[in-house]
Amino acid sequence: VRGMTRPWLIGLDWGTSSLRATLIDGAGCVIKEDARPWGITHLPPGGFRAAYDAVTAAWRAAWPGLPCLAAGMVGSRQGWVEAPYCDAPAGVEALASHLAAVAEVGLFIVPGIVLSGARSDVMRGEETQVIGALVNVDRGCMVLPGSHSKWVDVEAGRIIDFRTFMTGEVFSALRDHTILGAFSVPEVPDQNSFDRGVRTAHDTAEGIASLLFSARALVLTDRLPASGALEYLSGLLIGDELRSAPEGVQPLLIGEASLCRRYQRAMRLCGIDATIATPDVTAAGLWRIACCAGLVATDRTTFDAP
Amino acid sequence: VRGMTRPWLIGLDWGTSSLRATLIDGAGCVIKEDARPWGITHLPPGGFRAAYDAVTAAWRAAWPGLPCLAAGMVGSRQGWVEAPYCDAPAGVEALASHLAAVAEVGLFIVPGIVLSGARSDVMRGEETQVIGALVNVDRGCMVLPGSHSKWVDVEAGRIIDFRTFMTGEVFSALRDHTILGAFSVPEVPDQNSFDRGVRTAHDTAEGIASLLFSARALVLTDRLPASGALEYLSGLLIGDELRSAPEGVQPLLIGEASLCRRYQRAMRLCGIDATIATPDVTAAGLWRIACCAGLVATDRTTFDAP
């Protein structure tokens, strides 16, 4: 502990397939982390409690009373304790005032956000990343690529609208369970095929339905290398997602670095100028929500000289 | 045999997942049939030859010299003998003059058709169904719903253009391997949810990418019964396919009866007036191709009094 910045919060990013615990300092930055494959559908023996103890016990013993805040599917109906969705628009205040508690261990959980106007949509976990990315800005479009890509509109620090694209999950399902993957060689980087897929889907006036099979037909007619078929398919799906981008948008990309670069490249092909957010926005978001909820002291002088 | 119409041809509809053998009379109609789950990826021990013998040996013994013609994936690169694709436009003459032969057993195989102009696409098996449906017409749009739906344009008896939609296969992959199926109850007929999905996808100006997740979000927000989620998803995918329908088209639906009725209903919701073809178009198509290839006598008087 000596020589280390004092920790103020334990943050948990607890999703469907993984659990990442972070020890967070008084500036919302990560001091230490511990990642396990213990998503809520892949819990170890002993369930939520055992997973929680495994990643937090040493830190709680070293710093008794350290508050702990989690975000993600751990707060879903299938999670440890349900943290019911907040209605959009919602910002840090709304989230902080609707935390759920796992009373037995003193853990708090950030709620997700629901849209229930003309369209229905939900997010859980991404709201915390967005809040963490709102450091120097309080408005704009944030794009969080992944299994379920989210396009999020922020105004005055609040999430006012969002849209889910199942791009990553659809890609995996098509690759692993349709003819499009059956004859493809293992994925190899092939930027040409990726770019071609992006442009093809982005430029079409129709839906992507009639384009998917081209990933197979182009190979059969020797117009696409078999080694590029999956990159082309990935490009088609991302290009189709980008067709919904609002005119003139300049998104902030949030998420895993290589995936963000992939989206940034695709966006550039479609005339969209995107920047990539700094990493660790989840920890920053948990920190901001914890401060707003009064889980940690928010007087800056306290952080510098605890 | 006594009292039975004389058979003139053995027809095989040999696809990826099943093999259907038919004994065909001199009018191109089915006298008898034998269906097995022996698609080219599910062959019995002994492979193609064993499957072929099992379904045809008795007929060949009863009527020595009876010609045999097959259509479908049996002629693909993964099939018994490859029947290379014919270029579109192609009609019965082009197909009949490019049959492949499995010399060891005297079987002929109908080639598929390839598009290699501005777009690439392929069909194999559907060309025979289309030829079989061209009895009273020689032009129009034929729609063959299924794992890979085909929209086929016919002029002067020839297939001039077509488009593949992976609607059925995408539905199965999404149902079985994404979150959309994970929480859904087993499929139950629910026409309201199906209709709603069709309309939602057909009316959108964007791609379907952002709509798929609504099959989950609408359930989570109590706006769609969980029991209707898969019907809604099916409607979304079919509605998206129908967005590509040419203005004013009056398609002929070809295929399995209940699936054709499902498409007919969806088309009606989108203002498209479709009719459903008579069954057994595959046998009729094999018959027309066999006649054109000289595999069977084509003098009608011979059929009536063999």
Side-chain angles (χ1 to χ4, degrees):
Chain A
V1 177
R2 180 178 294 274
M4 192 168 104
T5 315
R6 183 196 187 299
W8 281 87
L9 178 70
I10 296 171
L12 302 181
D13 180 1
W14 204 337
T16 302
S17 55
S18 66
L19 164 60
R20 180 170 175 253
T22 48
L23 201 57
I24 298 171
D25 73 11
C29 296
V30 174
I31 302 169
K32 279 184 95 163
E33 67 169 85
D34 185 4
R36 308 288 180 103
W38 293 336
I40 69 163
T41 58
H42 303 86
L43 292 171
F48 287 105
R49 178 63 191 265
Y52 175 79
D53 284 343
V55 295
T56 66
W59 294 342
R60 287 185 288 125
W63 296 280
L66 204 59
C68 187
L69 182 62
M73 293 301 284
V74 67
S76 69
R77 213 167 291 171
Q78 289 76 37
W80 196 349
V81 162
E82 185 177 1
Y85 294 108
C86 288
D87 285 310
V92 64
E93 293 80 8
L95 295 170
S97 61
H98 289 89
L99 302 184
V102 185
E104 61 189 287
V105 298
L107 168 70
F108 291 90
I109 303 180
V110 178
I113 299 181
V114 62
L115 267 191
S116 47
R119 284 189 309 108
S120 289
D121 209 334
V122 293
M123 65 165 63
R124 197 177 274 287
E126 294 91 351
E127 73 295 326
T128 302
Q129 294 176 271
V130 169
I131 295 299
L134 293 174
V135 178
N136 298 313
V137 293
D138 76 340
R139 58 185 299 129
C141 172
M142 320 241 162
V143 175
L144 298 85
S147 294
H148 293 183
S149 283
K150 302 280 182 186
W151 288 61
V152 184
D153 289 333
V154 176
E155 292 279 358
R158 297 192 309 165
I159 292 170
I160 60 166
D161 196 11
F162 57 95
R163 199 173 276 261
T164 301
F165 297 81
M166 293 180 59
T167 308
E169 197 176 13
V170 170
F171 175 75
S172 299
L174 295 180
R175 178 194 59 199
D176 298 339
H177 303 287
T178 75
I179 196 174
L180 299 181
F183 294 99
S184 300
V185 296
E187 279 159 278
V188 293
D190 178 345
Q191 286 196 331
N192 285 341
S193 298
F194 175 75
D195 292 356
R196 183 171 164 191
V198 171
R199 286 200 188 92
T200 301
H202 187 256
D203 293 348
T204 185
E206 296 175 0
I208 198 177
S210 74
L211 292 178
L212 291 177
F213 190 64
S214 70
R216 174 88 186 118
L218 287 168
V219 173
L220 284 172
T221 53
D222 293 325
R223 291 173 170 202
L224 178 71
S227 60
L230 289 175
E231 284 273 20
Y232 173 77
L233 175 62
S234 167
L236 283 180
L237 293 171
I238 293 176
D240 190 47
E241 180 179 336
L242 297 185
R243 284 204 300 135
S244 303
E247 193 74 30
V249 71
Q250 294 187 306
L252 179 67
L253 281 161
I254 299 175
E256 196 262 313
S258 68
L259 188 58
C260 284
R261 282 196 299 271
R262 195 172 177 80
Y263 267 69
Q264 190 180 40
R265 179 183 178 87
M267 287 177 170
R268 194 171 298 139
L269 291 172
C270 301
I272 300 170
D273 186 25
T275 54
I276 298 179
T278 53
D280 281 330
V281 287
T282 302
L286 289 169
W287 174 252
R288 285 193 65 205
I289 295 166
C291 290
C292 185
L295 293 185
V296 293
T298 52
D299 177 349
R300 290 289 307 177
T301 61
T302 328
F303 310 148
D304 296 329
Chain B
V1 176
R2 181 178 295 272
M4 191 169 106
T5 315
R6 184 198 188 298
W8 282 87
L9 178 69
I10 296 171
L12 303 181
D13 179 2
W14 204 337
T16 301
S17 55
S18 66
L19 164 61
R20 180 171 176 252
T22 48
L23 202 55
I24 299 171
D25 72 12
C29 295
V30 173
I31 302 168
K32 280 186 91 164
E33 67 170 85
D34 186 3
R36 308 287 180 105
W38 294 336
I40 69 162
T41 57
H42 303 87
L43 292 170
F48 287 105
R49 178 65 190 264
Y52 175 79
D53 285 342
V55 294
T56 67
W59 294 342
R60 287 184 289 124
W63 296 281
L66 204 59
C68 187
L69 183 60
M73 293 304 283
V74 66
S76 69
R77 213 167 290 171
Q78 289 76 37
W80 196 351
V81 162
E82 185 177 1
Y85 293 108
C86 287
D87 286 308
V92 64
E93 294 81 7
L95 294 170
S97 61
H98 289 90
L99 300 183
V102 185
E104 60 190 287
V105 296
L107 168 69
F108 291 90
I109 303 179
V110 177
I113 299 183
V114 62
L115 267 191
S116 46
R119 284 188 309 107
S120 289
D121 209 334
V122 292
M123 66 166 62
R124 197 177 276 286
E126 294 90 351
E127 73 295 327
T128 302
Q129 294 176 271
V130 169
I131 295 299
L134 293 173
V135 178
N136 298 313
V137 293
D138 76 339
R139 59 185 298 128
C141 171
M142 320 241 162
V143 175
L144 298 87
S147 294
H148 292 184
S149 283
K150 303 278 183 188
W151 287 62
V152 184
D153 289 334
V154 176
E155 291 279 359
R158 298 192 309 165
I159 291 170
I160 60 165
D161 195 12
F162 57 96
R163 201 174 275 260
T164 302
F165 298 81
M166 294 180 58
T167 309
E169 197 177 12
V170 169
F171 175 74
S172 299
L174 295 180
R175 178 194 58 199
D176 298 339
H177 303 286
T178 74
I179 195 172
L180 299 180
F183 294 97
S184 299
V185 296
E187 279 158 278
V188 294
D190 178 346
Q191 287 196 330
N192 285 340
S193 297
F194 175 75
D195 293 356
R196 182 170 165 192
V198 171
R199 288 202 188 90
T200 300
H202 187 257
D203 294 348
T204 184
E206 298 174 359
I208 198 177
S210 73
L211 292 178
L212 292 177
F213 190 65
S214 70
R216 175 87 186 118
L218 287 168
V219 173
L220 284 172
T221 53
D222 293 324
R223 293 175 169 200
L224 179 72
S227 61
L230 288 175
E231 285 273 19
Y232 174 77
L233 175 62
S234 168
L236 282 180
L237 293 171
I238 293 175
D240 190 48
E241 180 179 337
L242 297 184
R243 285 205 299 136
S244 303
E247 193 74 30
V249 71
Q250 293 187 306
L252 180 67
L253 280 161
I254 299 175
E256 195 264 314
S258 68
L259 188 58
C260 283
R261 282 196 299 273
R262 195 171 177 79
Y263 266 70
Q264 189 179 41
R265 179 182 177 89
M267 287 176 169
R268 194 171 298 137
L269 291 172
C270 302
I272 300 170
D273 185 25
T275 54
I276 297 178
T278 53
D280 280 330
V281 288
T282 302
L286 288 169
W287 173 252
R288 286 193 64 205
I289 295 166
C291 290
C292 186
L295 292 185
V296 294
T298 53
D299 178 349
R300 290 288 308 178
T301 61
T302 328
F303 311 149
D304 296 330

